[in-house]
Amino acid sequence: MTLHLARIAIDVRALAGFAVERRLGDDDFGYALHAALVARFGDAAPRPFRFLPDHGSGPHLLGYVQDRAGFDDAAALPAVDTGLAAVFDGEPRLQAMPAAWRAGARYGFEVRVRPVVRFGKAVKAARRERAGAWLPGAGEIDANHAARERVARDGGDPDTVDRAAVYIDWLARRLADAATLDHADLRHFRRTRTLRNTHRSEGRRTRRVEGPDALLGGTLTVADPAAFAALLARGVGRHGGFGYGMLLLAPPGRA
């Protein structure tokens, strides 16, 4: 199935209203956009996606659509309410991505990621009362914080750990056999609070979690065309349905 790049204009004021009405507000509208996309396009909603609220051409969302026919069918239906209709400002535009990738092809890239590492139940229980533990109870921790802990545990100075190097290594590992990094840099970093679903015995709930939010960019080379296609479709790392993990590609050297 051919992957398509979707560009969807977003009305930020309407999105804010949608988030407030449904109590879905967080630092970056990631959860509100997730909910709005699913409500509007169902299973064919773009995922992963990237929200660009301050773009010079106007606020919009870029995302990868795997089911073009399903997306078109959903887009042809009227939105379930005026509030949802107002969020998506205009007709979506879709372009087909390459049907096949070439091993050895080089591309410039940019990706917004949540660089966290996960741990098992035993470690999770031990961390609950530890100061400085990221995302308590979530079973994941900032990759930089985990690297600092490893260095300290081995008797080293955690202040020698370089955040950019940690995140670039984290990215290289998640590209795995799909692509190799020729060059990468950390272009922006902050910590954000987002909403996430939890699945408990009393039913699904949302909770607010805080964690790293990093923008990485550089140049990569396709190693395995099939694996690279699969990587684009699923995204890099976790939280692909909430605005993270979308690999944006461009010719090498293009900003």
Side-chain angles (χ1 to χ4, degrees):
M1 186 176 294
T2 301
L3 200 66
H4 284 75
L5 174 66
R7 186 187 192 280
I8 306 174
I10 301 295
D11 185 309
V12 176
R13 180 172 295 184
L15 178 61
F18 178 88
V20 169
E21 181 182 347
R22 292 160 177 78
R23 299 181 180 179
L24 300 176
D26 54 21
D27 287 352
D28 63 355
F29 290 121
Y31 198 97
L33 274 170
H34 164 77
L37 286 166
V38 172
R40 186 68 185 89
F41 303 106
D43 292 339
R47 174 180 178 148
F49 68 84
R50 170 98 176 267
F51 182 39
L52 302 169
D54 302 314
H55 197 273
S57 64
H60 65 276
L61 173 150
L62 296 173
Y64 289 131
V65 171
Q66 298 188 55
D67 181 3
R68 172 64 190 267
F71 182 89
D72 288 343
D73 289 344
L77 293 172
V80 294
D81 58 61
T82 56
L84 181 62
V87 171
F88 302 109
D89 187 17
E91 294 296 320
R93 298 189 344 227
L94 276 75
Q95 290 181 293
M97 297 294 285
W101 301 91
R102 181 181 64 83
R106 295 179 65 245
Y107 296 100
F109 77 90
E110 189 172 84
V111 61
R112 180 191 178 204
V113 292
R114 196 84 160 168
V116 295
V117 293
R118 293 177 63 77
F119 43 81
K121 291 182 179 180
V123 177
K124 179 178 175 180
R127 293 192 62 85
R128 282 199 180 105
E129 303 303 324
R130 279 174 74 181
W134 285 98
L135 312 186
E140 57 187 39
I141 186 174
D142 182 341
N144 182 67
H145 195 88
R148 290 174 62 89
E149 286 191 346
R150 285 195 300 271
V151 171
R153 188 169 57 246
D154 293 339
D157 181 0
D159 290 337
T160 61
V161 174
D162 180 71
R163 182 184 299 275
V166 171
Y167 289 169
I168 291 168
D169 179 68
W170 178 94
L171 175 62
R173 291 174 182 272
R174 277 147 188 82
L175 294 182
D177 297 328
T180 57
L181 285 180
D182 302 326
H183 163 75
D185 57 76
L186 177 61
R187 297 180 175 178
H188 183 69
F189 169 76
R190 60 177 180 162
R191 292 187 178 93
T192 53
R193 293 173 298 170
T194 62
L195 293 176
R196 290 295 178 266
N197 289 331
T198 60
H199 299 272
R200 299 179 177 176
S201 57
E202 63 269 26
R204 191 176 75 170
R205 294 185 177 182
T206 59
R207 61 185 174 85
R208 197 175 302 275
V209 297
E210 181 184 353
D213 186 334
L215 185 65
L216 297 166
T219 306
L220 58 78
T221 298
V222 176
D224 182 317
F228 187 70
L231 176 69
L232 288 180
R234 72 172 180 270
V236 179
R238 305 187 70 236
H239 311 299
F242 301 92
Y244 296 94
M246 181 187 183
L247 267 173
L248 291 172
L249 302 176
R254 178 180 171 185

